[in-house]
Amino acid sequence: MSVELRTPTARVCERCGRGERWDETLEAWQLATEDGEKKVGNPHCLHEWDINGAFNPIQGN
């Protein structure tokens, strides 16, 4: 029986559209880009990330 822990690699704010991706090298969230444009969103937003109770971090049996 093998269980693997998954972690999110991308997230988007449901309020302002800010997009971020996880950078393995920096071990930190970094701004995502789409069509060469940074997905900054609103810097004053209290971000509501799209990672919710539907995300299951446990993968496997």
Side-chain angles (χ1 to χ4, degrees):
M1 183 164 97
S2 176
V3 175
E4 183 179 330
L5 180 63
R6 295 183 319 129
T7 57
T9 57
R11 62 187 184 182
V12 176
C13 176
E14 294 178 341
R15 294 181 182 179
C16 73
R18 178 185 181 95
E20 296 182 345
R21 62 172 180 76
W22 182 254
D23 186 308
E24 289 286 335
T25 306
L26 298 173
E27 296 183 340
W29 290 100
Q30 299 294 304
L31 278 175
T33 56
E34 189 173 288
D35 297 328
E37 187 175 324
K38 291 182 179 180
K39 297 189 68 174
V40 178
N42 179 346
H44 302 291
C45 179
L46 296 174
H47 301 301
E48 182 70 37
W49 300 113
D50 62 340
I51 301 167
N52 55 36
F55 180 80
N56 184 359
I58 306 297
Q59 183 174 351
N61 298 344

